[in-house]
């Protein structure tokens, strides 16, 4: 089927908008690619240092015959999603040798867990860790010895940071290698109910702890469809994973075979062979549009609205919030995965998963079919799924129909005709709202504001009963320049309780909410942020605020707000403790959310 005109129009305007940046970027990448194998330009002394610990692989590297694969890993063993990477380097090295290549761990990048830091001070470093990961990857690859790179990362800021770096080193081929989701534990909706019960005092901490431990219980990505699993989806839609690699559980034979296959493919697409595929050729405007379509069709995390903008900028591509909204309007919501439904990612994968979804969206003309990928030419390769037959890995046609229509539906009979993300624009600035899990009856909220400058203050007001009414909770000075733009997901149970009591409730913030923001209408990423002159910094308790997802409006209706003097909070506490003093330069130089809240792009 021909490409949908709405998708084509968004793509064309992104190409036009990006021309001044994309052209010079690609010219730099082409020039660097022409240099050939990187290590050929190193001195004998440079190479001796690089190969000193390579043992039997030294001769092949010196002769420049063997593809040299760099491994950039986000391994640590306190993150369930990254713990499986502990054994990957040795497996990758063995797989490389089998095809006449070599592999080395080029370097590690930090990986922090938003689940551990949620509601804690450490969350103020979370968004900036993305830029640190990009910088650390730059250091790892600065030795200039590799012909291709395998990027080992999964979670919230790790994949975006690695993609930013992969784009910066876009003259090199690169594959992203996932570890897969943990097997299913306590259902996410049951966990959510316990959290709400704890918030009201109906159950004690012992019950809460048991529910949390039963939900997050083993190696692999958390099973709800938050940022981490949205990242994995994105890497398939954009052609940086092998087809079907995202949601295969850790420690399984298929997972091991896919890691071997990624290594073999990395060796095959270097400039030493006949299938040279540098990252810069994959990450073009069409690939980013495909990624946004995937985000909307699956109801993915709102964090990607920031991260995709930053990733694209690293590749010389300029994406704006309106692009997300217009693609969302053209894309049907095909999946119901928690928090948009009761299923988890394992159930989604079993129902047909990404192979079915990509096939459907291609048939509906909602994806660019002609993109380059690490697997070869054309996104149709990703409508296939991997199978292990008698120990041999192959790809077969994916399901032609959903295996569970309560979880996954065809594009022509989707759960909703639109993807569920809207842009909000008004005198309070620009923001976005994920509405795929929000009852349409709550798409328009008009209520008096209750203004706060910290999550702790909101919790205290809730506990006092001050919020037991129709209310728009405004949490400001949460933007990247103020305190690093932490997620406010810890507020979700409180706001859900108020909503369940029958009140009209909405959240407005210049901070972030995760993909688990759920059923409460939340206007997030509001820009300009309060610290950067946004009108949100002049709001007072009782101001009438309208949050209208139907009309795309974010307005304060009270007259005279713009004439007030902006609030001047004491942000000194944000500058120290738990490493925050090290990130002052990041806070001072961070861009707005509409530009990806980046420091290095």
């Amino acid at each position: 089927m021909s490409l949908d005109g709405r998708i084509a129009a968004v793509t064309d305007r992104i190409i036009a908008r990006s021309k001044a940046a994309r052209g010079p970027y690609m010219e730099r990448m082409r020039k660097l690619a022409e240099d050939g194998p990187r290590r050929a330009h190193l001195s004998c002394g440079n190479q001796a240092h690089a190969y000193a610990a390579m043992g039997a692989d030294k001769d092949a590297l010196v002769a420049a015959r063997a593809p040299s694969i760099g491994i950039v890993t986000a391994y640590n063993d306190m993150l369930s999603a990254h713990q499986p990477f502990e054994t990957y380097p040795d497996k990758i090295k063995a797989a490389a040798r089998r095809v006449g290549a070599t592999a080395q761990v080029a370097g590690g990048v930090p990986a922090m867990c938003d689940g551990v830091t949620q509601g804690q001070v450490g969350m103020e470093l979370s968004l900036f860790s993305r830029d640190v990961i990009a910088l650390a990857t730059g250091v790892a690859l600065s030795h200039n010895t590799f012909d291709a790179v395998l990027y080992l990362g999964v979670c919230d800021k790790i994949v975006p940071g690695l993609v930013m770096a992969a784009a910066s080193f876009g003259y090199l081929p690169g594959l992203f290698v996932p570890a897969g989701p943990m097997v299913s534990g306590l259902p996410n909706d049951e966990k959510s109910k316990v959290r709400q019960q704890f918030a009201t005092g109906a159950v004690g901490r012992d019950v809460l702890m048991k529910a949390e431990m039963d939900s997050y219980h083993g190696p692999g990505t958390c099973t709800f469809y938050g940022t981490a699993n949205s990242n994995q989806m994105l890497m398939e839609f954009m052609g940086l994973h092998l087809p079907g690699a995202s949601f295969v559980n850790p420690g399984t034979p298929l997972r091991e075979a896919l890691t071997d296959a990624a290594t073999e493919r990395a060796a095959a697409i270097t400039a030493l062979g006949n299938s040279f595929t540098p990252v810069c050729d994959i990450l073009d405007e069409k690939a980013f549009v495909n990624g946004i379509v995937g985000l909307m069709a699956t109801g993915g995390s709102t964090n990607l609205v920031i991260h995709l903008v930053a990733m694209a900028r690293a590749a010389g591509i300029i994406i704006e919030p309106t692009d997300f909204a217009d693609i969302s309007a053209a894309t049907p919501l095909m999946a119901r995965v928690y928090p948009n439904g009761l299923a988890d990612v394992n159930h989604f994968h079993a129902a047909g998963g990404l192979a079915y979804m990509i096939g459907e969206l291609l048939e509906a003309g909602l994806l660019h079919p002609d993109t380059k990928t690490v697997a070869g030419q054309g996104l149709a390769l990703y409508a296939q799924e991997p199978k292990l037959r008698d120990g041999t890995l192959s790809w077969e046609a994916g399901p032609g129909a959903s295996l569970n229509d309560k979880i996954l539906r065809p594009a022509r009979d989707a759960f909703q005709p639109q993807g569920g993300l809207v842009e909000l624009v008004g005198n309070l600035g620009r923001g976005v709202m994920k509405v795929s899990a929000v009852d349409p009856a709550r798409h328009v909220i008009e209520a008096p504001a209750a203004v706060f400058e910290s999550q702790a203050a909101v919790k205290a007001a809730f506990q006092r009963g001050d919020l037991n009414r129709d209310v728009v909770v405004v949490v400001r000075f949460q933007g990247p320049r103020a305190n690093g733009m932490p997620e406010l997901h810890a507020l979700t149970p409180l706001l859900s309780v108020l909503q369940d009591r029958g009140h009209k409730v909405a959240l407005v913030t210049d901070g972030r909410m995760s993909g688990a923001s759920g059923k409460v209408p939340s206007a997030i990423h509001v820009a300009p942020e309060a610290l950067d002159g946004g009108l949100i910094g002049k709001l007072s308790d009782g101001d009438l605020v309208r949050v209208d997802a139907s009309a795309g409006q974010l307005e304060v209706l009270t007259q005279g707000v713009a004439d007030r003097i902006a609030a001047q909070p004491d942000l000194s506490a944000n500058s120290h403790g738990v490493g925050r003093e090290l990130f002052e330069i990041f806070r001072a130089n961070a861009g707005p959310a509409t530009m990806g809240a980046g420091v290095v792009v």
Side-chain angles (χ1 to χ4, degrees):
M1 179 176 288
S2 60
L3 186 68
D4 185 286
R6 296 165 295 178
I7 300 298
V10 174
T11 306
D12 288 344
R13 77 179 183 220
I14 292 173
I15 291 171
R17 185 193 303 137
S18 306
K19 187 175 181 180
R22 179 69 175 175
Y25 167 82
M26 288 301 293
E27 186 177 346
R28 292 195 306 272
M29 295 301 112
R30 294 283 182 248
K31 186 174 181 179
L32 287 163
E34 289 172 1
D35 289 343
R38 315 313 302 172
R39 60 191 183 280
H41 303 281
L42 300 180
S43 72
C44 293
N46 296 149
Q47 293 190 62
H49 279 284
Y51 312 152
M54 287 293 283
D57 292 325
K58 285 184 183 181
D59 290 343
L61 286 166
V62 170
R65 296 188 305 269
S68 176
I69 300 170
I71 303 167
V72 177
T73 178
Y75 163 72
N76 66 49
D77 63 6
M78 74 161 290
L79 270 66
S80 61
H82 292 86
Q83 184 269 350
F85 287 139
E86 178 181 13
T87 59
Y88 275 40
D90 285 343
K91 294 174 181 176
I92 289 169
K93 291 174 186 178
R97 291 187 189 106
R98 287 196 293 270
V99 293
T102 65
Q104 289 174 283
V105 175
V109 301
M112 62 181 290
C113 178
D114 288 0
V116 176
T117 59
Q118 199 68 252
Q120 306 296 319
V121 168
M123 176 57 80
E124 295 182 17
L125 308 186
S126 177
L127 180 59
F128 292 148
S129 75
R130 180 194 68 191
D131 293 53
V132 173
I133 289 161
L135 290 168
T137 304
V139 172
L141 299 180
S142 66
H143 298 104
N144 207 26
T145 65
F146 300 111
D147 302 305
V149 186
L150 292 176
Y151 297 96
L152 278 53
V154 175
C155 285
D156 297 12
K157 314 307 168 300
I158 294 88
V159 165
L162 291 172
V163 171
M164 288 160 62
S168 298
F169 287 83
Y171 52 90
L172 292 175
L175 278 80
F176 280 65
V177 183
M182 67 178 72
V183 297
S184 301
L186 181 74
N188 287 293
D189 62 320
E190 293 185 28
K191 173 195 67 183
S192 180
K193 289 176 184 176
V194 173
R195 285 179 173 175
Q196 291 185 38
Q197 290 169 344
F198 178 76
T200 61
V203 301
R205 186 168 294 277
D206 57 336
V207 176
L208 177 65
M209 177 60 81
K210 186 178 188 304
E212 298 287 359
M213 295 290 282
D214 288 348
S215 180
Y216 307 116
H217 62 92
T221 315
C222 306
T223 59
F224 72 91
Y225 195 56
T227 310
N229 287 315
S230 297
N231 283 340
Q232 303 314 296
M233 171 280 301
L234 196 69
M235 292 300 92
E236 290 212 27
F237 271 79
M238 294 179 71
L240 288 173
H241 272 178
L242 288 181
S246 293
F247 299 131
V248 177
N249 300 123
T252 60
L254 182 56
R255 174 86 277 153
E256 305 295 326
L258 283 165
T259 301
D260 287 351
T263 307
E264 295 167 8
R265 187 60 185 166
I269 61 175
T270 71
L272 298 172
N274 297 319
S275 301
F276 181 47
T277 311
V279 166
C280 65
D281 286 351
I282 294 173
L283 290 181
D284 63 6
E285 295 89 345
K286 292 179 179 180
F288 278 98
V289 168
N290 283 350
I292 298 173
V293 170
L295 186 68
M296 301 310 162
T298 57
S301 170
T302 55
N303 282 327
L304 269 301
V305 178
I306 293 176
H307 296 323
L308 272 162
V309 174
M311 289 187 268
R313 288 173 69 86
I317 297 169
I318 310 302
I319 296 175
E320 295 184 351
T322 304
D323 300 326
F324 290 89
D326 288 351
I327 291 174
S328 179
T331 305
L333 179 67
M334 296 171 59
R336 285 289 191 198
V337 189
Y338 187 85
N340 296 335
L342 300 181
D344 67 23
V345 294
N346 292 312
H347 304 138
F348 167 76
H349 185 62
L354 297 179
Y356 170 73
M357 179 170 278
I358 289 173
E360 275 286 306
L361 290 167
L362 284 168
E363 180 64 26
L366 293 169
L367 290 171
H368 289 280
D370 55 341
T371 54
K372 288 186 178 180
T373 78
V374 296
Q377 180 65 37
L379 196 62
L381 294 168
Y382 289 75
Q384 302 179 100
E385 57 183 9
K387 297 288 185 181
L388 203 56
R389 308 285 190 192
D390 298 323
T392 301
L393 180 65
S394 62
W395 276 264
E396 302 174 4
S402 171
L403 303 181
N404 187 333
D405 63 7
K406 294 181 180 179
I407 300 171
L408 189 57
R409 288 187 182 175
R412 65 184 180 279
D413 183 30
F415 292 103
Q416 294 178 12
Q418 298 180 339
L421 188 99
V422 297
E423 182 184 22
L424 305 175
V425 180
N427 59 12
L428 283 175
R430 298 172 74 181
V432 297
M433 182 189 293
K434 181 180 177 180
V435 296
S436 50
V438 177
D439 188 323
R442 299 190 177 103
H443 281 190
V444 181
I445 301 292
E446 188 174 302
V451 183
F452 304 92
E453 294 173 2
S454 71
Q455 292 188 78
V458 179
K459 292 179 182 179
F462 174 84
Q463 291 166 355
R464 293 193 303 267
D466 294 349
L467 301 179
N468 199 21
R469 55 188 170 88
D470 291 354
V471 63
V472 174
V473 174
V474 177
V475 190
R476 64 190 180 192
F477 298 104
Q478 304 298 306
R481 292 191 60 217
N483 65 350
M485 207 179 188
E487 280 187 354
L488 306 178
H489 179 45
L491 298 181
T492 300
L494 311 182
L495 300 177
S496 298
V497 167
L498 297 176
Q499 186 171 266
D500 289 347
R501 289 173 179 168
H503 301 304
K504 296 178 180 179
V505 180
L507 174 71
V508 175
T509 181
D510 49 9
R512 293 184 297 125
M513 291 286 277
S514 76
S517 52
K519 300 178 180 180
V520 178
S522 302
I524 60 177
H525 308 173
V526 174
E529 63 176 287
L531 195 65
D532 204 25
L535 193 63
I536 190 175
K538 296 184 176 182
L539 288 179
S540 297
D541 289 342
D543 287 341
L544 189 62
V545 174
R546 182 177 179 85
V547 181
D548 187 342
S550 299
Q553 295 177 341
L554 180 61
E555 300 272 349
V556 54
L557 304 180
T558 302
Q559 298 297 311
V561 173
D563 298 327
R564 297 174 187 165
I565 297 174
Q568 300 295 323
D570 180 6
L571 299 177
S572 60
N574 297 343
S575 65
H576 61 271
V578 197
R580 287 181 290 182
E581 49 269 78
L582 301 173
F583 285 80
E584 175 59 34
I585 192 170
F586 284 70
R587 290 188 293 273
N589 291 282
T594 50
M595 295 175 64
V599 177
V600 302
V601 294

